[in-house]
Amino acid sequence: MGNSLWQHCLSRLESEIPEQQLNTWIRPLQAVEEDQRLRLLAPNRFVMDWVRDHFLERIQSLLADSSNEYDVVLEI
């Protein structure tokens, strides 16, 4: 599986989110895919809170579009 799931999300988000927001909030996240879970590691609490409040629902919806069900965990 590698980072293909996260790369798919990134490519979709690139077409939806202005580049400045993408570079500020989304690109700093590190993705770890394990079993049926996508862990998104934020560099600090501020980024984690912002992503959770503004983008997490969309990321979850993009994952729901995939053939498998994944839980998304956002943490520092």
Side-chain angles (χ1 to χ4, degrees), residues 6 25-31 40-43 47-48 51 59 74:
W6 178 237
W25 306 113
I26 304 299
R27 292 203 192 279
L29 300 174
Q30 296 296 314
L40 297 176
L41 307 175
V47 171
M48 181 183 76
V51 170
I59 292 169
L74 183 61

Side-chain angles (χ1 to χ4, degrees), residues 40-46 48 74-76:
L40 297 176
L41 307 175
N44 57 55
R45 181 168 295 282
F46 186 72
M48 181 183 76
L74 183 61
E75 55 191 49
I76 299 175

Side-chain angles (χ1 to χ4, degrees), residues 7-19 22 26-27 58 62:
Q7 291 302 322
H8 171 73
C9 285
L10 275 178
S11 66
R12 294 285 304 271
L13 291 171
E14 285 172 352
S15 65
E16 299 175 10
I17 299 173
E19 186 175 353
L22 194 73
I26 304 299
R27 292 203 192 279
R58 181 58 184 143
L62 289 171

Side-chain angles (χ1 to χ4, degrees), residues 3 13 17-18 20 36-37 42 44 48 50 54 62 65 73:
N3 278 338
L13 291 171
I17 299 173
Q20 182 180 2
Q36 296 298 102
R37 177 179 293 184
N44 57 55
M48 181 183 76
W50 185 272
H54 295 90
L62 289 171
D65 289 346
V73 178

Side-chain angles (χ1 to χ4, degrees), residues 27-73:
R27 292 203 192 279
L29 300 174
Q30 296 296 314
V32 178
E33 297 179 30
E34 50 194 22
D35 299 323
Q36 296 298 102
R37 177 179 293 184
L38 176 64
R39 291 176 55 217
L40 297 176
L41 307 175
N44 57 55
R45 181 168 295 282
F46 186 72
V47 171
M48 181 183 76
D49 291 343
W50 185 272
V51 170
R52 183 183 60 235
D53 294 344
H54 295 90
F55 300 114
L56 187 58
E57 188 174 307
R58 181 58 184 143
I59 292 169
Q60 290 171 326
S61 130
L62 289 171
L63 292 176
D65 289 346
S66 72
S67 57
N68 299 317
E69 288 193 24
Y70 289 90
D71 291 326
V72 178
V73 178

